[in-house]
């Protein structure tokens, strides 16, 4: 089995992540803020992990909030903001169901608009300026990179326009945190969501968001925080206000190791390694006439996610075929139906291949072999 | 450091749990329903884990829903039910902030009542019958065991009364699942919440609830489910309807190993081992006149959680002292202020010691030494 499904979760993780998790868990009960002496070492680990995330995203302003998944982070942000007078909401055509399904639950309350993007996947900043002037944005949510085609979106440029209207800004960095070097303070992001188990190369079970503490975010989830227990409201303090329930210390230990490794190697080495692997992936796919790439524009930047279709074979059938041939990838809508409507690949979807920093020559050879087999049997 | 904080999270876990997690994570990307061939083995592991939980709780009727924490499970259940015409809500005086803070957010909507419990911690079933007749219950939520004093509550008896009024019933088994043998079908529990990392001896990051699928539970969280992606509502199917975002496969692998171990050893062996350790703990504590046990009634059943106060020392000071003496325990309100109001230990709280199945003689000796030291220095 060779692995081309890194956009779902990166695999493998750095060895240091497995080691840190196993070692931490065997040696620590680690129930943060819920014990005596233990508290200190767990507390230090958590504080250090928050600090590494702030450094990674070039901010001293934002607070770091941990959540079990990026989906929960987006629920807390979007549903929290929905308790405020937020009406006009703009999103890109590339948003994941973790954004669009949440917004759909508020369809009666909001006025949802799609940012102007050209057919070639470039953002039309001039037209977006007119959109905002015509209908002033209260909230703008952007995927930093599409999980379907990998295109990196001009977050800083769009948010600069949005901030003229004092809109609240949210960037979903599930496909970019730890991979694309990005200054969330300079880009005027009020909220930046990360997924620990994707481009950060940490484990599942730990994700979260960075928030501008000057933006009022009402709470939507409640529970024990290990502090201020007599108060039946959630504590005022950030991050405690948004972190209820037992923290996933073993996952934080894994994420900490991943972030230390990333800092040691430098984010640009991860980025260029993945870019290199993406180039090799495109070389393989371009060998075959029956492969039709989707959403590629050579003037834009991409992360290592490439979607394609094969003429005459449905995505689902192709998926089963690749699986039989030992290639793990993903087919269908990738939880982003809106993106496929935009790309013209709805409802059948695409075949999605996604590389990581550990994708190697053998993986690419096996993918090539499987395409050769498909060609010979078309 | 000796560990008496098992009510927060059990420690250590069975070696099989550490091994399963490490092995699973090194060998599987494991993004359930989000890849090709991988799906099958991850899918089987998840299905097997659900089945083990159903067997453990003696039910074939309920569906198993995984959540990252028990707190989130309680939010999903309580906040989901709040979208229905639920007005009269009964709870025990022992509820955790994971219940009371959620209900507090709906203070304007509901009529919250406390089930009649005598000062000796026994439930007054006759009086509860009158309470229900006087103000018919729509929803009854009970901790199966108090996380402050460990008393096991008469869930089946109270729910039998509640069901005369067709109330919806929720049992919080955070301190009992996998430890106290309990038939949730016979006890008429519509919802039963478990915490993977507590009495189930699994890892943090995986908890959930079993639900009676005949009870309509509106959704409060939204996101990608890996299936039915074109639908902007959450899928109708249970559990997909309530399981959004990337599943924590490494934690499920750990929980699966914990459940297999539990099945192999039998739940009654865990229960009696812990009872035995509780007895030894009480023997140690009863050696010291200055230790005043809280909420103990010899006619009731308890799990291995014992709260006490020391005359002349605040709980917090005592906590720091125990910590310096190498004993990890927890002091304060334990996220359950209501319980302390009932017990008369609010707002200072108690010193809580909690044993697990792995508590051993050395742990108890060290606890005894620390108490002897405190006695000598009082």
């Amino acid at each position: 089995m060779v692995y081309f499904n890194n956009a779902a979760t990166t695999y493998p993780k750095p060895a240091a992540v497995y080691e840190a998790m196993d070692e931490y868990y065997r040696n620590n009960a680690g129930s943060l803020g819920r014990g005596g002496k233990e508290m200190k070492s767990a507390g230090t680990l958590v504080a250090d992990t928050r600090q590494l995330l702030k450094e990674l995203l070039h901010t001293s302003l934002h607070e770091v909030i941990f959540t079990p998944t990026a989906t929960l982070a987006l629920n807390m942000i979007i549903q929290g903001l929905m308790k405020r007078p937020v009406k006009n909401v703009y999103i890109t055509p590339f948003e994941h169901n973790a954004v669009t399904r949440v917004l759909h639950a508020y369809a009666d309350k909001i006025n949802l608009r799609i940012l102007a993007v050209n057919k070639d996947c470039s953002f039309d900043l001039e037209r977006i300026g007119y959109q905002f002037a015509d209908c002033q944005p209260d909230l703008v949510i952007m995927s930093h990179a599409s999980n379907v085609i990998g295109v990196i979106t001009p977050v800083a440029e769009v948010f600069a326009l949005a901030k003229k209207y004092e809109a609240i800004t949210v960037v979903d960095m599930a496909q970019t945190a730890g991979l694309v070097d990005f200054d969330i303070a300079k880009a005027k992001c009020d909220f930046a969501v990360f997924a620990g188990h994707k481009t950060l190369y940490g484990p599942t079970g730990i994700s979260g968001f960075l928030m501008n503490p000057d933006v009022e975010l009402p709470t939507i989830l409640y529970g024990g925080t290990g502090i201020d227990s007599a108060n039946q409201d959630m504590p005022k303090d950030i991050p405690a206000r948004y972190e209820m329930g037992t923290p996933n210390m073993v996952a934080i230990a894994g994420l900490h190791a991943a972030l230390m490794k990333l800092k040691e190697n430098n984010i640009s080495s991860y980025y260029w390694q993945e870019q290199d692997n993406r180039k090799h992936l495109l070389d393989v796919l371009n060998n075959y006439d029956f492969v039709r790439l989707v959403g590629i524009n050579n003037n834009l930047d991409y992360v290592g996610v490439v979607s394609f279709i094969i003429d005459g074979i449905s995505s689902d059938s192709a998926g089963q075929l690749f699986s039989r041939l030992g290639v793990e990838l993903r087919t269908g809508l990738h939880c982003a139906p809106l993106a496929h409507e935009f790309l013209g690949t709805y409802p059948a979807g695409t075949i999605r291949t996604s590389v990581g920093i550990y994708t190697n020559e053998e993986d690419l050879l096996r993918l090539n072999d499987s395409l050769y087999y498909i060609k010979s049997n078309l």
Side-chain angles (χ1 to χ4, degrees), chain A:
Chain A
M1 205 71 184
V2 293
Y3 190 72
F4 283 94
N5 195 20
N6 288 280
T9 194
T10 48
Y11 177 76
K13 311 297 179 186
V17 172
Y18 302 129
E19 285 156 20
M21 290 175 74
D22 194 49
E23 194 190 326
Y24 185 86
Y25 221 22
R26 287 177 190 265
N27 298 312
N28 292 276
S31 194
L32 175 67
R34 284 152 177 85
K37 194 168 180 184
E38 200 55 49
M39 194 172 82
K40 200 170 170 190
S41 75
T44 304
L45 186 65
V46 170
D48 288 353
T49 309
R50 292 193 213 274
Q51 186 54 35
L52 286 166
L53 284 161
K54 289 169 79 162
E55 284 174 20
L56 180 70
L57 297 169
H58 303 280
T59 180
S60 54
L61 163 80
H62 293 75
E63 297 282 352
V64 178
I65 287 102
F66 289 119
T67 61
T69 64
T71 298
L72 268 173
L74 287 163
N75 271 274
M76 289 172 72
I77 297 165
I78 297 171
Q79 294 203 59
L81 293 173
M82 287 297 141
K83 294 186 172 185
R84 295 180 47 182
V86 162
K87 174 101 188 132
N88 300 326
V89 181
Y90 285 84
I91 60 174
T92 77
F94 302 117
E95 298 311 311
H96 190 276
N97 273 344
V99 168
T100 59
R101 276 185 172 163
V102 183
L103 290 171
H104 181 70
Y106 295 88
D108 291 345
K109 173 188 158 76
I110 61 171
N111 173 24
L112 184 63
R113 306 217 160 186
I114 312 291
L115 293 164
V117 179
N118 299 311
K119 277 285 155 218
D120 67 0
C121 299
S122 63
F123 279 62
D124 188 334
L125 293 172
E126 195 180 334
R127 202 142 55 91
I128 289 170
Y130 292 135
Q131 287 182 300
F132 287 173
D134 178 50
C135 170
Q136 304 202 354
D138 297 312
L139 171 61
V140 182
I141 306 171
M142 293 182 73
S143 275
H144 194 198
S146 163
N147 75 313
V148 176
I149 57 168
V151 69
I152 298 174
T153 64
V155 171
E157 292 80 352
V158 175
F159 284 0
L161 295 174
K163 279 297 177 192
K164 291 186 190 166
Y165 304 93
E166 293 174 2
I168 300 166
T169 53
V170 180
V171 60
D172 175 358
M173 297 184 69
Q175 299 293 338
T176 56
L179 182 67
V180 178
D181 197 9
F182 189 59
D183 184 328
I184 63 167
K186 204 185 277 180
K188 299 183 193 300
C189 305
D190 292 318
F191 297 91
V193 174
F194 62 91
H197 68 103
K198 298 199 185 210
T199 43
L200 285 165
Y201 287 87
T204 50
I206 190 76
S207 291
F209 60 98
L210 286 84
M211 76 176 278
N212 173 354
D214 295 336
V215 176
E216 189 211 331
L217 179 67
T219 52
I220 65 151
L221 296 168
Y222 313 93
T225 42
I227 62 159
D228 196 15
S229 292
N231 184 357
Q232 286 301 286
D233 291 312
M234 292 297 284
K236 285 263 171 282
D237 293 353
I238 302 172
R241 188 165 156 73
Y242 307 107
E243 291 182 349
M244 68 295 306
T246 303
N248 192 345
M249 283 307 306
V250 64
I252 291 176
L255 179 59
H256 181 264
L259 288 165
M260 288 299 288
K261 193 81 193 164
L262 174 60
K263 188 174 176 176
E264 181 188 320
N265 289 338
N266 196 307
I267 188 168
S268 69
S269 80
Y270 280 29
Y271 180 76
W272 290 110
Q273 182 64 55
E274 210 210 45
Q275 288 293 309
D276 208 37
N277 291 337
R278 175 176 181 267
K279 187 183 164 299
H280 293 314
L281 171 64
L282 286 171
D283 288 345
V284 168
L285 296 173
N286 281 325
N287 277 337
Y288 298 91
D289 288 341
F290 62 89
V291 168
R292 284 206 292 144
L293 301 179
V294 173
I296 302 276
N297 176 342
N298 290 327
N299 296 318
L300 300 176
D301 290 323
Y302 288 78
V303 296
V305 180
V306 179
S307 262
F308 61 92
I309 53 178
I310 295 180
D311 289 325
I313 309 183
S314 77
S315 296
D316 279 354
S317 307
Q320 287 161 27
L321 196 51
F322 278 112
S323 177
R324 281 214 312 279
L325 295 167
V327 176
E328 184 170 347
L329 43 70
R330 194 176 165 203
T331 58
L333 296 175
H334 317 102
C335 295
L338 194 64
H340 291 278
E341 285 178 29
F342 174 82
L343 296 163
T345 48
Y346 182 90
T350 57
I351 303 159
R352 183 184 74 181
T353 42
S354 46
V355 295
I357 57 172
Y358 296 119
T359 303
N360 60 32
E361 205 174 2
E362 195 202 324
D363 298 327
L364 292 157
L365 281 172
R366 287 276 293 279
L367 177 66
N368 188 62
D369 288 349
S370 68
L371 286 163
Y372 186 83
Y373 175 90
I374 291 171
K375 178 188 171 186
S376 315
N377 290 274
L378 266 181

